[in-house]
Amino acid sequence: MSTITTVNKEWASRPNDERFTSLSEMHDMMLRLKTNSRASVVANREVTIIPDGEDLMITRGNSAANINELAFSQIAQLAGAPAGYLRDLPAPIVADCINYGLKYNRDVEEVGLLVTRPDMDVPDMQLRAATGPRYGRIWNADIVHGLMRRFGDGRSGKFRIPGEFGKQVPITKQNTTLYAGTRDMFVFLADEENRVELPNRRGNKAGNFARGFFVWNSEVGTATLGAAFFLFDYVCMNRIIWGVEEFKEMRIRHTSGAPHRWVEEIDPILDEYRNGSAQPVIAAIESARDKKIADVNAFLADRFGARMSKVLMERHEVEEGKPIETLWDAVTAGTSYARDMPNQDQRVAFERQAGEIMRLAA
């Protein structure tokens, strides 16, 4: 058994306006942020950084936006310049350095911009994020909406904000486990009433566990997308989780295929968790991720044909930023290719072929 302090760190550091007492309240804020934001991928040469007093702005054509701290670090990285060093320089010099880097950096010739329109909280246009062109954004609002469809508002359903030492208490911003800001989101829900009985809990004596899960994401690139599932004894007032067993974690990098991988990997596990146990699904995926393919080209050609083997390898390289190495990589490439097939029957048949690879991990 172990103790998890992940939620305690969120609980101890989040300001009041990043704490929510229901998923619906959290979703309202996330949806407003999504609605007020505009994402685009543009050539580096289309944007220019200009000084604005001691601050900086980014311009494209006739539009301009302020640059927040996160976006500054990201765009400096894309330009190949150390953000920490630039922060100590005068704004005109910083603008020149970044503009030069963006213009001549041949490793990154396009930049993904996420700009938020003015509203009651942000009076001016603001650049929230500057990412690579293949960044796969998954909106926090969409993730929270998916959780609401399965688990309700997080207050009254089977899975909800946990109590203290196994007993339900009034939910407040001081003891909530739902957190979100402009950079990221984090959710912890638990089913403390329908506990899992184990015959040999401790010292050959029977006992039981509650079930819980985390979901986290950053739509601006500060964290991976991920979920964790586990059993536990109880959560204390400081939101420390005690007596954790069978902790399983899944992370998805924000590559161009990330939005689909959320649907293909995490969504089914959340469905299983809502209805019972997700352990068989998680175990199958982990096994497929662990099993290496000795000859990828031959492996794929044997199942999909020689021409399609090359197509799938190129597809995975583009979407995931790495070659196919494991059984799970092969499944990911196959389901990714199937998504673009216009004929439904062909798409389903191809997805079934890709899914058959999972049996090899058993």
Side-chain angles (χ1 to χ4, degrees):
M1 292 182 298
S2 61
T3 300
I4 294 181
T5 59
T6 304
V7 190
N8 168 264
K9 294 174 183 176
E10 300 280 344
W11 171 81
S13 63
R14 293 280 185 168
N16 203 51
D17 61 354
E18 293 187 5
R19 298 167 179 259
F20 300 88
T21 57
S22 71
L23 287 175
S24 53
E25 179 190 16
M26 188 180 189
H27 180 258
D28 288 345
M29 192 275 266
M30 296 286 92
L31 183 60
R32 189 187 71 179
L33 199 56
K34 176 183 176 181
T35 302
N36 285 338
S37 298
R38 183 180 72 252
S40 60
V41 175
V42 303
N44 289 1
R45 294 170 181 266
E46 292 184 35
V47 299
T48 303
I49 308 300
I50 62 172
D52 180 35
E54 296 181 356
D55 298 318
L56 296 172
M57 298 188 73
I58 184 169
T59 64
R60 182 187 176 214
N62 296 323
S63 63
N66 295 323
I67 304 175
N68 70 18
E69 282 291 311
L70 170 65
F72 173 77
S73 296
Q74 291 175 324
I75 204 163
Q77 182 179 12
L78 291 172
Y85 173 70
L86 292 180
R87 284 191 173 92
D88 294 329
L89 300 179
I93 296 177
V94 176
D96 287 342
C97 290
I98 294 179
N99 287 329
Y100 181 88
L102 290 177
K103 183 177 181 180
Y104 292 106
N105 185 357
R106 293 293 178 259
D107 293 331
V108 182
E109 296 188 347
E110 291 182 314
V111 57
L113 303 178
L114 182 65
V115 177
T116 300
R117 298 193 300 267
D119 69 0
M120 62 189 340
D121 295 331
V122 183
D124 301 304
M125 293 281 284
Q126 185 178 101
L127 179 67
R128 289 181 60 208
T131 59
R134 292 176 180 170
Y135 178 79
R137 177 165 289 106
I138 303 177
W139 295 98
N140 293 335
D142 295 344
I143 292 177
V144 177
H145 182 259
L147 293 176
M148 290 170 61
R149 283 192 294 106
R150 293 176 175 84
F151 305 107
D153 61 3
R155 295 177 62 97
S156 55
K158 180 188 295 185
F159 281 86
R160 55 197 181 197
I161 297 168
E164 298 170 0
F165 302 101
K167 296 181 179 179
Q168 292 300 312
V169 295
I171 298 170
T172 68
K173 286 197 172 187
Q174 281 65 51
N175 63 15
T176 187
T177 54
L178 309 179
Y179 311 101
T182 57
R183 291 193 176 193
D184 60 356
M185 58 152 286
F186 182 93
V187 168
F188 168 35
L189 296 179
D191 179 3
E192 296 184 290
E193 294 185 1
N194 303 287
R195 298 179 72 90
V196 178
E197 296 288 337
L198 293 179
N200 294 311
R201 177 67 174 90
R202 287 195 187 98
N204 295 321
K205 294 183 179 180
N208 55 53
F209 286 104
R211 291 186 299 149
F213 69 85
F214 301 154
V215 172
W216 64 88
N217 184 54
S218 170
E219 63 191 23
V220 295
T222 61
T224 59
L225 162 67
F229 304 86
F230 50 90
L231 304 175
F232 68 96
D233 276 334
Y234 60 84
V235 183
C236 71
M237 296 172 64
N238 294 336
R239 311 285 82 180
I240 297 174
I241 308 172
W242 297 85
V244 176
E245 295 270 12
E246 296 188 31
F247 186 89
K248 303 291 184 181
E249 180 181 281
M250 304 185 68
R251 293 175 180 264
I252 298 175
R253 294 185 305 116
H254 284 275
T255 59
S256 59
H260 296 290
R261 290 187 64 190
W262 166 263
V263 173
E264 293 159 2
E265 295 183 35
I266 307 295
D267 269 358
I269 296 175
L270 289 171
D271 285 335
E272 288 287 333
Y273 217 58
R274 175 187 60 186
N275 298 322
S277 171
Q279 297 306 314
V281 180
I282 298 174
I285 292 176
E286 287 186 339
S287 178
R289 282 176 163 168
D290 289 339
K291 292 200 173 181
K292 300 283 186 178
I293 301 174
D295 187 336
V296 174
N297 187 43
F299 179 87
L300 295 175
D302 184 54
R303 287 157 178 79
F304 302 101
R307 185 189 67 83
M308 187 56 62
S309 173
K310 295 181 180 179
V311 171
L312 294 178
M313 287 191 290
E314 291 174 358
R315 180 84 175 213
H316 193 271
E317 186 82 44
V318 169
E319 285 206 350
E320 302 303 324
K322 67 183 185 71
I324 294 175
E325 298 175 337
T326 68
L327 292 180
W328 184 249
D329 291 340
V331 173
T332 299
T335 54
S336 171
Y337 180 81
R339 287 194 298 267
D340 293 339
M341 288 183 166
N343 183 282
Q344 181 176 352
D345 290 339
Q346 291 179 341
R347 182 170 64 251
V348 172
F350 200 90
E351 287 177 339
R352 188 177 294 114
Q353 276 184 283
E356 286 293 320
I357 297 173
M358 287 292 291
R359 294 189 178 184
L360 301 176

